[in-house]
Amino acid sequence: MALTFKPNLDSVLKLPLSKRVLILLAINIVVAGLVYWFLTGPKYAEVQTLKTELQELSAKLAENRQIAADIPRYIREKEEMEAKLAAAVAQLPNAKEIPDLIDGISSSAEKSGLKILIFKPGREVSKGFYSEVPVSMVVEGRYESLYKFSEKIGKLPRIVNLGGMNIMSMGHKNRIPLLKADFTATTFRFTPQAEEPRKTK
């Protein structure tokens, strides 16, 4: 037997005012609960998700705006680095210039008043786009001569590093202190890209 509920409006209106108010309040609560459960609740969760996404997008937008504002600085730094690289590469001699550069190192030592005891160019060491060309040297002379030699090497048009220097006293000659210096003069040769496949092969 099915139960049917038929609200009688007249009987409700005959109830005291306080009961009618309670019934109206209960109906409003039920309606509000249904609206929240079926309409507002799901949308509220969606709104929270959208708020989170909005915050993430705002942070990303601010970051991208900062990057965009820094683009001129990045371009300027890139151009400066390219100019420095070009200047550095210009100081790296090519294969044809290496003999003249080695002669220049030897000549700088002699003009500085140093006596060359050993002058031995070593094997090139590849470092990618450039190669190191070491020259083992042992020289003898006064401290002033060694200093002048270092100055002349620094003024060469190409990069030459003096490393691993070991200086020993050789006593005095005519009351002038003599030194013996053992070091490696390293210059750098630009390696064209055409040479790299050949070496790899």
Side-chain angles (χ1 to χ4, degrees):
M1 180 177 177
L3 296 175
T4 57
F5 174 71
K6 294 182 179 180
N8 189 345
L9 189 58
D10 292 335
S11 60
V12 172
L13 292 174
K14 290 178 182 179
L15 292 173
L17 180 60
S18 60
K19 290 186 177 181
R20 281 184 287 169
V21 170
L22 289 174
I23 291 173
L24 183 60
L25 184 60
I27 292 172
N28 286 334
I29 291 173
V30 170
V31 171
L34 292 174
V35 169
Y36 178 81
W37 183 263
F38 290 105
L39 297 177
T40 308
K43 294 296 180 184
Y44 179 78
E46 186 177 347
V47 166
Q48 292 301 113
T49 303
L50 291 174
K51 278 185 178 179
T52 304
E53 291 180 359
L54 179 61
Q55 291 175 352
E56 293 175 354
L57 290 174
S58 298
K60 193 170 184 179
L61 178 62
E63 182 182 350
N64 289 337
R65 282 178 176 170
Q66 183 65 35
I67 293 173
D70 288 340
I71 284 178
R73 179 170 63 86
Y74 292 145
I75 292 175
R76 186 170 60 253
E77 290 178 355
K78 175 179 174 288
E79 291 173 350
E80 290 175 357
M81 291 178 66
E82 287 177 345
K84 288 179 181 179
L85 177 61
V89 169
Q91 287 188 299
L92 300 181
N94 55 39
K96 294 179 181 179
E97 294 175 303
I98 289 295
D100 291 338
L101 182 58
I102 291 177
D103 289 342
I105 296 172
S106 174
S107 176
S108 296
E110 291 175 350
K111 287 179 181 179
S112 300
L114 293 174
K115 181 181 179 182
I116 301 175
L117 303 178
I118 295 177
F119 189 87
K120 183 179 179 182
R123 180 177 295 181
E124 288 189 9
V125 180
S126 178
K127 296 290 183 178
F129 72 93
Y130 72 95
S131 296
E132 292 183 352
V133 184
V135 178
S136 298
M137 295 182 66
V138 178
V139 297
E140 187 180 276
R142 297 186 300 170
Y143 172 80
E144 292 82 359
S145 299
L146 187 60
Y147 178 77
K148 287 180 183 178
F149 171 68
S150 300
E151 278 191 327
K152 289 182 181 295
I153 290 296
K155 292 177 181 178
L156 288 175
R158 302 300 185 184
I159 299 173
V160 179
N161 289 342
L162 300 179
M165 187 169 289
N166 182 26
I167 300 175
M168 298 169 289
S169 174
M170 299 297 293
H172 292 71
K173 184 177 181 181
N174 298 328
R175 296 184 179 181
I176 298 175
L178 294 179
L179 301 174
K180 183 178 180 182
D182 178 2
F183 56 89
T184 301
T186 304
T187 187
F188 306 89
R189 183 176 73 85
F190 177 66
T191 305
Q193 293 182 353
E195 291 186 16
E196 293 182 7
R198 191 191 317 159
K199 288 183 179 180
T200 305
K201 185 176 179 181

